[in-house]
Amino acid sequence: MKLGDLGEEGLIKLLSSIFRSDRCSGVAVSIGDDSAVLKMPGGGFLLVSTDTVLEKTHIPLEMTPEQIGAYAVNVALSDIAAMGGTPWGLVFSTVLPGSLDVDFAERIARGMEAAAGEHGTCIVGGDTQAGEDLTITGTAFGTAAEDGLMLRSGASPGDLICVTGELGSAAAGFYSLISGLTGHGHFIQRALEPKARLREGAAAARYASACMDISDGLALSLHEIGSKSGVGTMVHEDKIPVHRGLEAVAGEVGVSVRELVFYKGGDFELLLTVPSERLSALEKGFEKEGLNIFVIGEVTKHGHLLQTKDGETMAIEERGWQAFKGWQKTLKE
Amino acid sequence: MKLGDLGEEGLIKLLSSIFRSDRCSGVAVSIGDDSAVLKMPGGGFLLVSTDTVLEKTHIPLEMTPEQIGAYAVNVALSDIAAMGGTPWGLVFSTVLPGSLDVDFAERIARGMEAAAGEHGTCIVGGDTQAGEDLTITGTAFGTAAEDGLMLRSGASPGDLICVTGELGSAAAGFYSLISGLTGHGHFIQRALEPKARLREGAAAARYASACMDISDGLALSLHEIGSKSGVGTMVHEDKIPVHRGLEAVAGEVGVSVRELVFYKGGDFELLLTVPSERLSALEKGFEKEGLNIFVIGEVTKHGHLLQTKDGETMAIEERGWQAFKGWQKTLKE
C-alpha cells in the first residue's frame, strides 16, 4: 500500500502506535493534540509544536515573500494558541533552492521576524539546507500554567461550542485566487495572512474545557474534539459568524457557503468548548481584551449535527483538509 | 545574487542580522551555536535544535529505512550533545511522497523510535505533509544545568583540544559507497549510522570550556570555535585518532587521510577544549564511563595550524561541508 492510499489520518494512527512516549516520564500529552506537552521541572508545562509549509502545497504564487514568512510563523504559533499557551520562541529549518534570489530569502526572513515580533516572541535558531523545493519547518515552543492548558479531550455534553472569528473567508479567498477574481481583498487577505489567535487562546485558557485550531476546517475540528472527548456536537448554522460578503463570493466561485465554512479550512480561528456556567466569565474576559467570541452550538452525547437556517437537521460529514488527500472525502473507519 | 553564490555561511550571517532575539528576555544563546538556549523559569536551561535531513543531500541509496530514521534522530540529538545537554524529547515534521510504500515509512519511524530509545528519549509529536522529496526535520530539545552548558565561545589560549573518537572514517565510508568498494563495513557503518555523543557531552559538560560537533569537518569546527572564542588552534596530526584501516581505504578511494580527517565531515564526534588543570578530572570521568577522549592539540592566540607527522607546520584551511556549496572551497571574507 502507498501513503497516498493510507492518507494522513491513517499515517498518524500508524505513527502513534510506533512512537511510545509513555517510555519517557514527564510527557503529559504526546501525538494527537495541537502541541506536545511536557512537564517542566520547576512547574508548568512546555508546549512544542512543529509544522511544515511547502511551496507547492501551501504557498500560492500570489503570496509575497513577507507573507510566506509570516504565514510560517503564524501556522506554528496557532498550535500554541490552541493549547492556551504563551509563546516562548521559534526555530526554523528551511530548505531553499540555490537558484533563489538572496533578496527573496531575505524578505521571507523579514516577514518571519515581523510576525514573531507582532506576537511578542523571537526566532532563536534554525538550520538551512539547499534543496529543490522551498520548504519551511517551524517549531514553536511555549509555556502553559498547570491550570491553564486546553486539550482536545476535555469537552463534556452540555458545554457550549464557540469560535473566535468569521469562518469560510480564507477558503473564499483561495477560491478567488484560483478563479482569478479581483476585488475580494478581504477574503484574499484572510487566506494569505492568517493570524495565530494567541490572545484568544490565553483569554480562554482558564475557562474552556477543550480547544483546537480550525485550520483543517470546522467539520474535521468538530469531529476531532468529538473523537478525543467522546462526545457529539450540535451546531446552529445561523449562529456561525461569516463575513457579510461571503455569500456573494461563494456564488461567484461556485462553492456553497456551507462548503466553505465547514469543509475547506484555512481559517486559523480557534474552536473551543466551555461549560455553560463559565460562559459569561469567558465572554467578559474576551470583551475586556477587545476579542471576539461567538457561541455556535452545544456539545452533545454523540453524533455531529447541523441545524440549518431552514430549521432542518443534517449530519456534519467528517471531511476537510488532509495531507496526501487534500480536500478529498475521507470516511471514518 | 543567488543563494548558491552567497553560501550557507553568508546566509547565516544575513539571518542573524534579521532575527533579533535580543528583543526577548530569557534567550541566553540564539543563532550561531549548536542549539538555542533559553532560561527556564524554574532554573536551568532549555536547549532547542532543529535539523533537516534531505533525501537527495544526506541519504545515500544504500541507507535502509531504519538507518534513515536513526540518522535523523542522531543528527538532531548531536546538537544537544554538543551543548552538554540531557535530551528531553524530539518532534519530527516529515514530508513524504504519496507514492512511498507505507512499509518504507513505517520502517523509517521504527528506526527513529529505536534511536530515540537508545538515547533514553522519546518522540513526542510531529507533522506530516505530502511532497515530492523525502524531507525529515527533527527538532530536539533538552535541558542543561546552569553550570553545565558548553558553548562554542568559551575557549581560551592554553586550553587543550580534545575529540571523542576516530575521525575521517565516515568520509571514507561515503567515498567507499560512491566508488562501489566492498569490504569496508566499518567505514560505511560510520557513515550511515552516526551516533550522537550524548554521554560524552554530559561527561564533559562540567570541565570543558567550549564544545561543538564535528559533523561539518574538523577544520571548519576548529575555525568556528576559533572565531566564536577569539582564539587560534594548533593541532598535532600524530595525535588525531584514526582507524588503523583508514590509510588503506584512503589509498583505494584516492583521497588523502588528511583530506578525509580535516575537510570532509560526517563524523558526529565532539570537539572540545578544556583548561589544562581540569584535563585529568575530565579524563577520569570519561574513563569511569568507558568513553573515549583524545587530546589532539592546544588553543593558541590566533591562527589555525597543523603540525604534520613530518614535523612541518601548515595552515588548516577554512573549508568543509557547507550547504549550497557542498565540499567546495570557501574563503573567509
Side-chain angles (χ1 to χ4, degrees):
Chain A
M1 189 161 69
K2 306 292 182 188
L3 286 179
D5 305 318
L6 182 66
E8 184 179 11
E9 194 185 334
L11 180 59
I12 291 173
K13 274 191 191 170
L14 174 63
L15 295 177
S16 304
S17 74
I18 294 172
F19 298 142
R20 301 300 307 272
S21 61
D22 51 348
R23 287 190 292 100
C24 290
S25 64
V27 180
V29 177
S30 178
I31 295 163
D33 216 303
D34 291 86
S35 304
V37 182
L38 296 119
K39 288 176 202 157
M40 287 206 282
F45 292 115
L46 170 68
L47 313 178
V48 185
S49 179
T50 187
D51 285 281
T52 292
V53 172
L54 278 170
E55 185 173 17
K56 287 179 187 164
T57 309
H58 305 98
I59 306 179
L61 288 175
E62 291 81 358
M63 257 192 192
T64 65
E66 288 83 359
Q67 285 174 329
I68 295 171
Y71 185 86
V73 165
N74 278 285
V75 166
L77 289 177
S78 183
D79 291 317
I80 301 296
M83 312 292 283
T86 303
W88 198 1
L90 296 146
V91 293
F92 280 93
S93 198
T94 307
V95 179
L96 298 158
S99 60
L100 199 71
D101 279 325
V102 171
D103 176 63
F104 194 93
E106 181 173 346
R107 289 176 60 194
I108 292 176
R110 292 198 186 283
M112 288 179 170
E113 172 68 7
E118 263 182 49
H119 291 299
T121 190
C122 288
I123 294 157
V124 298
D127 181 43
T128 55
Q129 299 285 346
E132 277 170 41
D133 297 325
L134 178 61
T135 308
I136 305 176
T137 301
T139 303
F141 37 104
T143 54
E146 283 178 38
D147 61 350
L149 186 69
M150 298 187 288
L151 304 180
R152 295 178 179 180
S153 55
S156 299
D159 289 356
L160 297 162
I161 300 172
C162 307
V163 296
T164 53
E166 66 188 61
L167 302 185
S169 298
F174 280 119
Y175 276 102
S176 298
L177 288 173
I178 293 166
S179 312
L181 296 171
T182 54
H184 295 174
H186 170 78
F187 300 97
I188 291 170
Q189 189 178 24
R190 291 280 301 184
L192 302 186
E193 298 183 6
K195 302 287 181 198
R197 294 302 186 196
L198 283 160
R199 292 178 60 212
E200 287 79 355
R206 286 170 49 212
Y207 306 105
S209 52
C211 185
M212 71 179 289
D213 82 16
I214 320 182
S215 55
D216 294 337
L218 179 60
L220 271 193
S221 301
L222 289 164
H223 276 270
E224 171 67 13
I225 284 198
S227 163
K228 287 273 156 56
S229 298
V231 297
T233 56
M234 163 66 86
V235 171
H236 307 283
E237 195 167 31
D238 62 349
K239 294 191 180 168
I240 296 174
V242 295
H243 189 272
R244 58 193 156 73
L246 184 66
E247 197 162 338
V249 179
E252 278 190 74
V253 300
V255 180
S256 75
V257 167
R258 190 177 294 155
E259 188 68 21
L260 294 173
V261 165
F262 278 87
Y263 300 113
K264 294 306 182 196
D267 297 306
F268 281 75
E269 299 294 343
L270 300 180
L271 173 70
L272 50 96
T273 63
V274 57
S276 56
E277 69 274 16
R278 292 196 215 149
L279 179 66
S280 72
L282 179 138
E283 285 178 328
K284 270 183 204 158
F286 271 62
E287 200 186 334
K288 202 176 150 190
E289 298 271 328
L291 305 171
N292 294 319
I293 188 84
F294 306 89
V295 178
I296 65 165
E298 310 86 42
V299 178
T300 60
K301 286 189 177 160
H302 42 73
H304 294 280
L305 297 173
L306 170 67
Q307 194 176 56
T308 70
K309 288 180 182 173
D310 307 327
E312 284 174 52
T313 300
M314 59 189 297
I316 298 169
E317 298 168 58
E318 188 178 5
R319 62 184 171 88
W321 173 262
Q322 274 215 326
F324 300 104
K325 296 189 172 179
W327 284 337
Q328 284 175 18
K329 187 175 165 72
T330 57
L331 291 169
K332 179 109 183 159
E333 283 120 300
Chain B
M1 189 161 68
K2 306 292 181 187
L3 285 178
D5 305 316
L6 183 67
E8 184 179 10
E9 194 185 334
L11 179 58
I12 292 172
K13 273 191 193 171
L14 174 63
L15 295 177
S16 304
S17 74
I18 294 172
F19 297 144
R20 302 300 306 272
S21 62
D22 51 349
R23 285 191 292 103
C24 290
S25 63
V27 180
V29 177
S30 179
I31 296 162
D33 216 304
D34 291 87
S35 305
V37 182
L38 296 117
K39 288 176 201 157
M40 287 206 283
F45 292 115
L46 169 68
L47 312 179
V48 184
S49 178
T50 188
D51 285 280
T52 293
V53 172
L54 279 170
E55 186 173 17
K56 288 178 185 163
T57 310
H58 304 97
I59 306 179
L61 288 175
E62 290 83 357
M63 257 193 191
T64 65
E66 288 84 357
Q67 284 174 330
I68 294 171
Y71 185 86
V73 166
N74 278 284
V75 166
L77 290 177
S78 183
D79 290 317
I80 302 296
M83 312 291 283
T86 303
W88 197 2
L90 294 147
V91 293
F92 280 93
S93 199
T94 306
V95 179
L96 298 158
S99 60
L100 199 72
D101 279 326
V102 172
D103 176 62
F104 194 94
E106 182 174 344
R107 289 175 61 195
I108 292 177
R110 292 200 186 283
M112 286 178 172
E113 172 68 8
E118 264 182 48
H119 291 298
T121 190
C122 287
I123 294 157
V124 298
D127 181 44
T128 55
Q129 299 285 347
E132 279 171 40
D133 297 324
L134 177 61
T135 308
I136 306 175
T137 301
T139 303
F141 35 104
T143 54
E146 283 179 39
D147 60 350
L149 185 69
M150 298 186 289
L151 304 180
R152 294 179 178 178
S153 55
S156 299
D159 288 356
L160 296 162
I161 300 171
C162 307
V163 295
T164 54
E166 65 188 62
L167 301 186
S169 297
F174 280 119
Y175 275 102
S176 299
L177 289 172
I178 292 167
S179 312
L181 296 171
T182 54
H184 296 173
H186 170 78
F187 299 99
I188 291 169
Q189 190 179 21
R190 291 279 303 185
L192 301 187
E193 299 183 5
K195 301 288 181 196
R197 296 299 186 198
L198 283 159
R199 291 177 60 212
E200 287 79 354
R206 285 171 50 214
Y207 306 106
S209 51
C211 185
M212 70 178 290
D213 83 14
I214 321 183
S215 55
D216 293 337
L218 178 59
L220 271 192
S221 301
L222 290 165
H223 275 271
E224 172 67 11
I225 285 198
S227 163
K228 287 274 155 58
S229 299
V231 297
T233 57
M234 163 65 87
V235 170
H236 307 282
E237 195 167 31
D238 61 349
K239 293 191 180 167
I240 296 174
V242 295
H243 188 273
R244 59 193 155 73
L246 184 66
E247 197 162 341
V249 179
E252 278 191 75
V253 300
V255 181
S256 74
V257 167
R258 190 177 295 157
E259 188 69 21
L260 294 173
V261 164
F262 277 87
Y263 300 112
K264 294 307 182 197
D267 298 305
F268 281 75
E269 301 294 343
L270 300 180
L271 173 70
L272 51 94
T273 63
V274 57
S276 56
E277 68 274 16
R278 293 196 214 147
L279 179 66
S280 72
L282 179 139
E283 285 178 330
K284 270 183 203 159
F286 271 62
E287 199 186 335
K288 201 175 153 191
E289 297 270 328
L291 304 171
N292 294 318
I293 188 83
F294 305 90
V295 178
I296 64 164
E298 309 88 41
V299 178
T300 60
K301 286 190 178 161
H302 42 74
H304 295 280
L305 296 174
L306 170 67
Q307 194 176 55
T308 70
K309 287 181 181 173
D310 307 326
E312 284 174 53
T313 300
M314 59 191 296
I316 298 169
E317 297 168 58
E318 187 177 7
R319 63 185 172 86
W321 174 261
Q322 273 216 326
F324 300 104
K325 296 190 173 178
W327 283 339
Q328 285 174 19
K329 187 176 167 70
T330 57
L331 291 170
K332 179 105 180 161
E333 285 121 296

